[in-house]
Amino acid sequence: MNISPLNCNIQKPAFEHKISMNSDYSAKEKTIVAGTTALGIAASLALLAKKSGYSLNPLKMTKNFKNSFLAKTDFLAKEIVAIGAGTCLGGLAGGYIIDKDPVNRKAKKREAVMQMGNISIPILTVALFHNISKKYGKAAQAAGSLAGIFTGVYLANFLMNKLSNVLFNNKNERGVKIIDFSAHVDDVVAGASYISNAGWVHNAARVIPAILMFPGMAVGTKKPNE
């Protein structure tokens, strides 16, 4: 279903939090990018687990999975930013492996910067708005989380466009569409985790590392003018 852009001067965001793979790449090449992206996420999870005092021994993790880092942790701002760095670096590594063209590689680097901002800024604004609203009750926290997502998406769009112009001498800016907010599932889940300790909310957050595969794939398969 197509959703038309908002009127006035609001357009599509610079880089959406979703996958956009170029069809010119073969299935094998896309598989390589998926593999390096998964490795990037796994490395970031391992670093987070180690810093939190969890064992990285695979036998211990599988034997007592319910008490492992993946099962116990709340995926909040710190975790999402770290996983975002892993997916973008992993996707960029895969993109460099499958494509030696310097122009295409530049597009992938730009996408990595943009995706990192689009992952990090909305969840940081969700955390900020939560801290502001938490003393006013659950309803205010829910409203604060939604406001944090909307604010973060627009702020990320503005800041990443400007940063891209400086780093890559690019003037092709894009604004925000309503449909872009549907791609921030991880921010919605994290926002719920800030508000509630319910088991179903915690369990739902287990999908966040998988969701964050998408930006890394977008980085690795990016080409100019897409």
Side-chain angles (χ1 to χ4, degrees):
M1 179 179 70
N2 293 325
I3 301 179
S4 60
L6 297 173
N7 55 16
C8 301
N9 294 321
I10 299 175
Q11 301 172 328
K12 189 178 179 184
F15 278 79
E16 298 173 37
H17 205 4
K18 67 179 183 177
I19 189 168
S20 178
M21 293 193 296
N22 187 277
S23 59
D24 291 341
Y25 291 116
S26 67
K28 180 180 178 180
E29 289 170 328
K30 293 173 184 176
T31 300
I32 291 172
V33 174
T36 58
T37 300
L39 284 174
I41 292 175
S44 65
L45 289 171
L47 289 173
L48 287 168
K50 189 68 176 177
K51 189 174 181 180
S52 299
Y54 287 88
S55 173
L56 297 181
N57 187 320
L59 292 177
K60 290 183 179 180
M61 291 172 62
T62 54
K63 189 175 181 180
N64 192 19
F65 182 76
K66 67 179 181 179
N67 290 316
S68 68
F69 175 79
L70 284 175
K72 297 283 286 185
T73 192
D74 290 320
F75 291 108
L76 303 177
K78 178 182 72 174
E79 290 76 19
I80 289 177
V81 170
I83 298 170
T87 192
C88 290
L89 290 173
L92 185 61
Y96 267 51
I97 291 171
I98 67 172
D99 198 330
K100 311 300 188 210
D101 188 308
V103 175
N104 291 342
R105 284 184 167 185
K106 181 179 179 181
K108 297 177 197 302
K109 287 190 290 185
R110 178 174 181 260
E111 181 81 0
V113 171
M114 304 297 283
Q115 289 287 0
M116 191 64 231
N118 200 37
I119 293 169
S120 301
I121 294 173
I123 190 57
L124 291 174
T125 56
V126 167
L128 174 63
F129 279 48
H130 169 75
N131 288 333
I132 294 171
S133 62
K134 62 183 179 182
K135 61 182 178 181
Y136 299 109
K138 297 295 185 182
Q141 291 178 54
S145 292
L146 288 175
I149 293 172
F150 275 78
T151 302
V153 169
Y154 281 97
L155 184 61
N157 174 68
F158 174 79
L159 293 177
M160 291 302 101
N161 269 318
K162 301 308 177 187
L163 181 61
S164 175
N165 289 345
V166 172
L167 294 179
F168 303 104
N169 192 29
N170 179 76
K171 302 300 181 184
N172 180 27
E173 297 188 3
R174 287 182 281 173
V176 178
K177 280 172 105 176
I178 294 174
I179 196 171
D180 300 322
F181 294 98
S182 66
H184 287 264
V185 177
D186 57 327
D187 298 327
V188 174
V189 175
S193 297
Y194 275 112
I195 299 168
S196 174
N197 294 321
W200 70 268
V201 173
H202 179 82
N203 292 335
R206 302 312 94 198
V207 305
I208 286 177
I211 291 171
L212 289 175
M213 280 284 294
F214 295 164
M217 292 295 296
V219 170
T221 58
K222 182 68 179 178
K223 286 188 176 182
N225 302 319
E226 292 180 349

